[in-house]
């Protein structure tokens, strides 16, 4: 497979050895006796460093990050069991220098459905902004594994990432709903909103407008529509393949875990082959350790970013539909205005209001599209670079393991002659 692993923190020390030093390290190292593992003398890590984007250039592209004043952390998940349900509550810790907050540090406890409430309110208040996605409520593995440690940790990271995205957004970060979410110990008073029938009416109206469509959509929004469709298809394919790579890696790791002990057992039976067989067992054990770390980091760095943008693709398409709905409303009212003579003043006011709303929607979507694309490029680039760097490290370590094994099995010619039977 081309894609093999990632790392969130590239803290592996880089060796900077001269050629003679490399040979000396290899001559003193043996995987059979468990000595420290060297880096391959041909290591790309020793020769090559990726040029990362200049932080100042990044700030120029994303000026809202220059004076960040809102920092949010999601941590400390706790399971709660009642007679009716089991759920997880997370700590949400906010640090801020904003004057409209009563305190510079606020701590609240939130469950998933309250994160969902926040996202719904942000979408309701800003229908043509691309609100970051939440992790899905349920998992495909089934409810039995819903609250195991891995699931809780994965969801905690996703919820943390969701609030991080909101906190740096130039508009959403100033939402009163976000402030209530971050500061109110009890969100119940803030949850009052339109009833079920009202929401159903909005849904039916949106469906009708979608069927009717728009006739005068600007070319720029036709391009966004085309891009969103192709992006959704592409990112979904990449996400599926990455998940398959992770599954196959884990299967490979299971095989390695069974493979190494067989050489150790064989070494007990063959006195003359004991050392090389032990070396093979140790090499396979080390390869297994590296593969496990690589698989874990791939599933924690690259795949979450890809899956987030799979969900984002659906959000983008929904936002474009909302924008089209506003234009469809405007077109209908404008047509009615031209055919009806009575109540013309009232209709003119409605048309003018819808024209203003459409222009505001266009301006908001243009700005947020630029913001979203900037985030997309940054997130995916960082994940891909991290994947590539981790791949380099993984294969260099595997190469070093096998080179060390081969060197440990070299036989001195004098010793070889002594081992030959006398004539």
């Amino acid at each position: 497979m081309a894609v093999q692993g990632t790392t969130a923190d590239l803290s592996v020390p880089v060796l900077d050895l001269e050629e003679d030093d490399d040979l000396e390290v290899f001559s003193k190292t043996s995987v059979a006796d468990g000595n420290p593992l060297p880096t391959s003398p041909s290591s790309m890590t020793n020769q090559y460093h990726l040029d990362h984007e200049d932080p100042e250039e990044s700030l120029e592209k994303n000026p809202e990050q220059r004076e960040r004043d809102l920092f949010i952390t999601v941590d400390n998940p706790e399971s709660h069991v009642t007679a009716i349900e089991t759920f997880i509550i997370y700590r949400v810790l906010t640090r801020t220098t904003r004057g409209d907050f009563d305190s510079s540090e606020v701590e609240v406890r939130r469950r998933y459905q309250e994160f969902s409430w926040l996202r719904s309110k942000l979408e309701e208040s800003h229908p043509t902004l691309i609100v970051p996605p939440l992790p899905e409520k349920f998992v495909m593995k089934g409810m039995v594994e819903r609250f195991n440690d891995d699931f809780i940790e994965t969801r905690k990271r996703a919820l943390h990432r969701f609030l991080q995205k909101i906190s740096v957004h130039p508009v959403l970060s100033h939402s009163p709903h976000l402030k209530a979410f971050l500061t109110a110990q009890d969100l119940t008073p803030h949850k009052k909103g339109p009833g079920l029938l009202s929401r159903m009416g909005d849904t039916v109206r949106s469906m009708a407008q979608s069927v009717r469509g728009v006739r005068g959509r600007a070319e720029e929004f036709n391009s966004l529509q085309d891009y969103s469709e192709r992006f959704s298809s592409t990112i979904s394919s990449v996400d599926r393949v990455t998940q398959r790579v992770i599954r196959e890696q884990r299967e490979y790791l299971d095989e390695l875990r069974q493979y190494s002990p067989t050489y150790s057992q064989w070494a007990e039976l063959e006195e003359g082959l004991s050392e090389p067989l032990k070396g093979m067992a140790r090499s396979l054990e080390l390869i297994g350790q590296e593969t496990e770390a690589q698989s874990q980091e791939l599933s924690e760095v690259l795949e979450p970013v890809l899956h987030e943008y799979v969900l984002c693709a659906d959000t983008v398409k929904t936002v474009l539909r909302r924008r089209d709905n506003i234009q469809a409303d405007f077109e209908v009212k404008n047509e009615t205005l031209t055919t009806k003579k009575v109540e013309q003043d009232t209709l003119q006011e409605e048309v003018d209001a819808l024209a203003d709303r459409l222009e505001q929607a266009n301006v908001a979507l243009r700005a947020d599209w630029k913001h979203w694309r900037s985030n997309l490029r940054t997130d995916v680039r960082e994940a891909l670079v991290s994947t590539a760097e981790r791949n380099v490290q993984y294969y260099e370590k595997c190469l070093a393991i096998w080179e060390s094994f081969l060197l440990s099995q070299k036989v001195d010619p004098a010793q070889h002659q002594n081992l030959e039977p006398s004539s």
Side-chain angles (χ1 to χ4, degrees):
M1 290 292 179
V3 180
Q4 286 288 324
T6 63
T7 179
D9 180 12
L10 300 175
S11 56
V12 179
V14 178
L15 301 180
D16 189 14
L17 302 174
E18 299 294 335
E19 185 176 355
D20 292 341
D21 293 333
D22 283 334
L23 296 176
E24 183 179 354
V25 170
F26 275 114
S27 66
K28 295 180 180 179
T29 305
S30 170
V31 293
D33 59 19
N35 284 337
L37 182 66
T39 301
S40 169
S42 59
S43 170
M44 285 183 66
T45 306
N46 289 341
Q47 306 168 22
Y48 174 72
H49 295 278
L50 290 169
D51 293 327
H52 293 282
E53 186 176 23
D54 185 347
E56 286 301 315
E57 292 182 7
S58 178
L59 287 172
E60 287 299 326
K61 296 176 183 177
N62 301 284
E64 67 270 13
Q65 295 182 12
R66 183 177 293 277
E67 297 180 356
R68 188 174 173 189
D69 56 5
L70 186 63
F71 301 87
I72 309 172
T73 303
V74 179
D75 57 15
N76 294 349
E78 295 179 355
S79 297
H80 286 252
V81 181
T82 68
I84 301 176
E85 60 179 340
T86 299
F87 56 91
I88 309 298
I89 289 184
Y90 304 86
R91 183 179 76 154
V92 178
L93 179 63
T94 303
R95 295 183 176 89
T96 183
T97 57
R98 293 184 180 180
D100 57 334
F101 280 70
D102 294 334
S103 174
S104 61
E105 184 170 310
V106 188
E107 178 181 324
V108 294
R109 307 291 298 186
R110 296 285 183 252
R111 56 184 296 185
Y112 178 89
Q113 67 179 26
E114 291 168 325
F115 284 86
S116 182
W117 168 85
L118 171 62
R119 188 175 189 277
S120 297
K121 298 303 288 186
L122 293 175
E123 284 192 316
E124 179 185 316
S125 304
H126 306 282
T128 53
L129 295 185
I130 304 170
V131 181
L134 281 172
E136 295 93 337
K137 184 172 179 59
F138 300 107
V139 291
M140 296 303 294
K141 295 180 181 178
M143 295 297 292
V144 175
E145 298 183 23
R146 183 180 171 198
F147 294 120
N148 65 23
D149 291 342
D150 289 341
F151 173 78
I152 293 173
E153 180 63 24
T154 299
R155 170 163 287 184
K156 183 198 75 175
R157 288 196 299 266
L159 295 175
H160 175 80
R161 186 173 176 83
F162 166 73
L163 289 182
Q164 287 291 298
K165 294 280 189 181
I166 299 295
S167 71
V168 298
H169 193 282
V171 177
L172 299 178
S173 65
H174 295 279
S175 166
H177 303 298
L178 175 64
K179 182 182 176 183
F181 177 87
L182 297 176
T183 60
Q185 296 301 319
D186 182 10
L187 273 179
T188 304
H190 300 274
K191 291 184 177 180
K192 297 178 181 179
L196 176 61
L197 292 179
S198 175
R199 293 197 301 272
M200 288 178 61
D202 291 340
T203 302
V204 171
R205 188 160 51 252
S206 295
M207 290 175 62
Q209 291 165 342
S210 297
V211 171
R212 183 175 62 240
V214 294
R215 290 189 292 274
R217 184 198 287 146
E219 182 57 35
E220 65 175 308
F221 296 109
N222 286 330
S223 298
L224 296 190
Q225 180 72 34
D226 179 61
Y227 172 87
S228 66
E229 295 292 343
R230 289 185 293 144
F231 174 76
S232 177
S233 175
T234 302
I235 196 71
S236 295
S237 297
V238 174
D239 183 55
R240 286 195 299 271
V241 173
T242 303
Q243 291 185 36
R244 187 163 68 245
V245 168
I246 293 172
R247 287 196 301 272
E248 292 175 356
Q249 252 191 354
R250 288 171 179 166
E251 292 172 359
Y252 172 58
L253 178 59
D254 290 340
E255 296 292 339
L256 282 177
R257 286 170 174 163
Q258 299 176 40
Y259 197 31
S260 176
T262 59
Y263 279 95
S264 296
Q265 295 169 5
W266 191 6
E268 296 174 0
L269 300 176
E270 300 287 349
E271 183 176 349
L273 289 174
S274 177
E275 286 307 312
L277 289 173
K278 287 180 180 179
M280 277 294 294
R282 175 63 177 162
S283 297
L284 291 169
E285 181 183 351
L286 292 172
I287 294 291
Q289 292 173 4
E290 289 301 319
T291 302
E292 181 177 16
Q294 184 198 33
S295 177
Q296 181 179 356
E297 290 168 346
L298 175 62
S299 64
E300 291 179 359
V301 176
L302 179 62
E303 203 283 327
V305 171
L306 294 176
H307 193 65
E308 175 186 337
Y309 280 98
V310 169
L311 301 178
C312 272
D314 291 334
T315 299
V316 169
K317 288 188 284 188
T318 300
V319 166
L320 288 170
R321 283 196 298 270
R322 292 189 189 126
R323 182 254 162 222
D324 285 350
N325 289 342
I326 296 173
Q327 181 171 340
D329 275 340
F330 168 74
E331 289 176 351
V332 169
K333 292 289 184 181
N334 199 38
E335 288 174 3
T336 304
L337 178 64
T338 60
T339 58
K340 282 192 174 183
K341 301 301 182 183
V342 296
E343 302 177 352
Q344 199 164 36
D345 290 342
T346 302
L347 283 172
Q348 185 65 59
E349 291 177 2
E350 293 181 3
V351 169
D352 291 343
L354 282 169
D356 290 341
R357 187 182 175 201
L358 178 60
E359 180 59 25
Q360 291 170 6
N362 290 344
V363 170
L365 181 53
R366 286 190 195 103
D368 210 39
W369 181 264
K370 183 178 180 181
H371 175 84
W372 181 78
R373 288 292 300 276
S374 175
N375 282 342
L376 167 67
R377 294 188 184 102
T378 299
D379 292 341
V380 174
R381 180 184 184 278
E382 287 178 354
L384 294 178
V385 167
S386 185
T387 300
E389 290 178 331
R390 186 63 180 88
N391 267 325
V392 170
Q393 293 175 2
Y394 173 75
Y395 288 112
E396 285 176 352
K397 288 183 178 181
C398 290
L399 175 63
I401 289 169
W402 293 121
E403 287 177 338
S404 177
F405 170 74
L406 289 173
L407 288 170
S408 71
Q409 301 307 310
K410 283 187 177 179
V411 179
D412 190 325
Q415 293 179 344
H416 183 70
Q417 291 177 1
N418 293 336
L419 291 175
E420 293 180 351
S422 57
S423 56

